[in-house]
């Protein structure tokens, strides 16, 4: 069509192909791997040229990748900010270069929300509330103190900040719930195991509940709990978030009590938003992912339906 309109062929081809620059957090968890797969598969499906950068969980690498996308004059930039602060300057550079930015998965706490056209991802505070509500329900019969240890996500990241806030909002209604230890496991299995080992050494049998901000840290912690001679999901109730395959396998093995779903399958929504942007349509400022809660009792039935 563009060639018919007299545009030289190379310009016509280039004009047709939308180029998306995506700066990914890293490859720290099953969730992140599924999110990357969703973005790559959906870009291919949509015929969008994807320039993909893996920042290995380092903010300076994400900022470098975004600057490179600006220099390459991509059509749209999308990324999941590894932490919530420090992206203002590079977002202003993208705005000055008239390249629209979509926040995918995590948000930033910048005042000026004109710096991005849309934020699509889960409501992490609500995920924290769901974890809290499940625990309140499970412990509703008892008056005893409930000693909780918490494995936080990456320090300063939106999911870590908001999952903590939502959980505490719910359990603070009853003084029997006490968070006796809280430390980051950086969303990884290895760190989750290491920190849980330290919690067990310090608090041992006093621990009634583990609240992990993602399944990977919970899976690492389960190994530490077993190596300490305790029964995960029985001696220590375990609550985690994401709903990845590893969590369903742990629940089916009776080692995890519940996983609050956080869907990584943001690719299709992202590509549709990119296409709408290029077609001159406005896209919603906030697109919230719909998701549920999966206790171990339903894990086996739900498992065949899981897509990540
Ligand atoms: C949440 C996402 C988090 C996952 C972790 O949307 O940003 O990062 O919960 C992942 O598993 O590492």
């Amino acid at each position: 069509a563009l060639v018919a309109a007299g545009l030289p062929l190379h310009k016509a081809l280039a004009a047709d192909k939308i180029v998306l620059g995506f700066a990914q957090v890293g490859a720290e968890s099953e969730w992140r791997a599924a999110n990357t797969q969703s973005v790559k598969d959906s870009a291919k499906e949509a015929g969008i040229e994807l320039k993909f950068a893996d920042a290995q969980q380092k903010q300076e690498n994400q900022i470098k990748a975004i600057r490179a996308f600006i220099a390459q004059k991509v059509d749209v930039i999308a990324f999941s900010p590894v932490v919530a602060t420090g992206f203002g300057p590079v977002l202003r550079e993208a705005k000055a270069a008239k390249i629209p930015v979509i926040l995918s998965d995590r948000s930033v706490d910048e005042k000026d929300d004109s710096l991005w056209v849309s934020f699509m991802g889960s409501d992490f505070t609500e995920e924290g509330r769901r974890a809290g509500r499940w625990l309140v329900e499970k412990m509703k019969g008892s008056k005893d103190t409930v000693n909780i240890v918490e494995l936080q996500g990456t320090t300063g990241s939106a999911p870590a900040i908001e999952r903590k806030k939502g959980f505490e909002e719910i359990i603070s209604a009853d003084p029997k719930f006490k968070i006796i230890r809280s430390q980051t496991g950086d969303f990884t299995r290895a760190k989750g195991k290491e920190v849980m080992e330290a919690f067990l050494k310090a608090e041992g049998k006093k621990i009634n509940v583990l609240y992990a901000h993602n399944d990977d840290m919970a899976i690492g912690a389960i190994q530490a709990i077993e190596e300490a001679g305790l029964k995960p999901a029985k001696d220590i109730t375990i609550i985690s978030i994401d709903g990845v395959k590893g969590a369903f396998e742990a629940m089916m093995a009776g080692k995890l009590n519940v996983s609050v779903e956080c869907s990584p399958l943001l690719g299709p929504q992202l590509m549709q938003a990119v296409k709408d942007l290029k077609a001159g349509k406005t896209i919603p400022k906030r697109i919230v992912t719909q998701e549920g809660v999966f206790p171990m009792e339903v894990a086996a039935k739900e498992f065949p339906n899981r897509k990540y």
Side-chain angles (χ1 to χ4, degrees):
L2 293 157
V3 176
L7 222 62
L9 185 59
H10 72 283
K11 274 233 178 296
L13 288 179
D16 263 347
K17 202 107 173 110
I18 299 174
V19 181
L20 168 66
F22 191 93
Q24 180 59 295
V25 166
E28 72 281 4
S29 62
E30 261 188 81
W31 190 99
R32 189 61 56 196
N35 179 246
T36 291
Q37 203 54 54
S38 176
V39 168
K40 289 182 173 175
D41 294 349
S42 307
K44 213 174 279 150
E45 182 78 18
I48 287 172
E49 183 185 333
L50 178 68
K51 291 179 179 297
F52 185 89
D54 173 339
Q56 293 162 337
Q57 284 191 288
K58 290 188 176 49
Q59 179 170 36
E60 66 267 20
N61 291 347
Q62 270 192 316
I63 290 170
K64 244 185 258 151
I66 294 168
R67 288 211 163 104
F69 296 149
I70 293 170
Q72 291 153 16
K73 297 187 176 14
V74 299
D75 293 300
V76 182
I77 290 170
F79 74 113
S80 170
V82 60
V83 292
T85 54
F87 284 100
V90 75
L91 287 171
R92 278 186 282 281
E93 290 165 34
K95 184 176 177 183
K98 297 197 178 8
I99 299 175
V101 174
I102 295 174
L103 298 179
S104 154
D105 170 29
R106 299 181 187 178
S107 60
V108 292
D109 63 5
E110 292 296 335
K111 300 278 163 298
D112 177 3
D113 72 0
S114 75
L115 292 174
W116 60 92
V117 288
S118 180
F119 161 41
M120 55 178 67
S122 306
D123 178 341
F124 302 129
T125 309
E126 183 55 23
E127 289 171 351
R129 292 193 196 99
R130 287 176 185 160
R133 288 188 203 113
W134 182 87
L135 183 60
V136 166
E137 180 58 26
K138 176 163 172 77
M139 301 293 182
K140 73 171 182 285
S142 107
K143 290 247 171 306
D144 302 343
T145 301
V146 179
N147 292 313
I148 303 161
V149 293
E150 179 182 28
L151 285 170
Q152 296 183 37
T154 300
T155 304
S157 68
I161 293 164
E162 295 167 25
R163 286 171 181 167
K164 182 171 191 45
K165 190 177 77 183
F167 183 73
E168 288 176 351
E169 183 188 301
I170 298 297
I171 65 166
S172 59
D174 185 333
K176 75 182 180 187
F177 294 109
K178 295 190 180 338
I179 297 181
I180 57 173
R181 296 266 167 170
S182 181
Q183 198 178 320
T184 183
D186 210 15
F187 283 134
T188 68
R189 290 189 182 201
K191 203 91 176 73
K193 178 177 183 188
E194 192 188 307
V195 174
M196 189 65 200
E197 281 163 354
F199 285 166
L200 286 161
K201 245 189 219 94
E203 302 290 355
K205 293 207 174 358
K206 213 179 128 196
I207 300 171
N208 306 116
V209 175
L210 163 63
Y211 170 46
H213 290 186
N214 84 327
D215 295 332
D216 285 71
M217 293 190 292
I219 290 164
I222 285 168
Q223 287 166 12
I225 291 168
E226 290 181 313
E227 285 168 15
L230 296 169
K231 288 190 179 50
K234 294 172 188 63
D235 298 329
I236 297 179
T237 296
I238 306 175
I239 308 165
S240 75
I241 299 179
D242 276 351
V244 295
K245 279 199 176 61
F248 277 82
E249 284 153 356
M251 287 194 280
M252 290 189 285
K255 298 183 178 180
L256 174 65
N257 295 88
V258 59
S259 184
V260 173
E261 187 181 29
C262 172
S263 175
L265 306 179
L266 300 172
Q269 271 175 333
L270 176 58
M271 298 312 151
Q272 189 52 55
V274 169
K275 283 181 161 176
D276 289 348
L277 267 179
K278 288 314 288 172
K281 293 184 194 149
T282 51
I283 56 176
K285 193 76 185 171
R286 179 77 176 93
I287 303 171
V288 182
T289 320
Q290 302 309 313
E291 47 212 19
V293 179
F294 295 98
M296 72 159 62
E297 295 75 16
V298 306
K301 192 162 67 58
E302 169 65 17
F303 191 58
N305 309 329
R306 303 306 297 167
K307 298 191 184 68
Y308 64 91

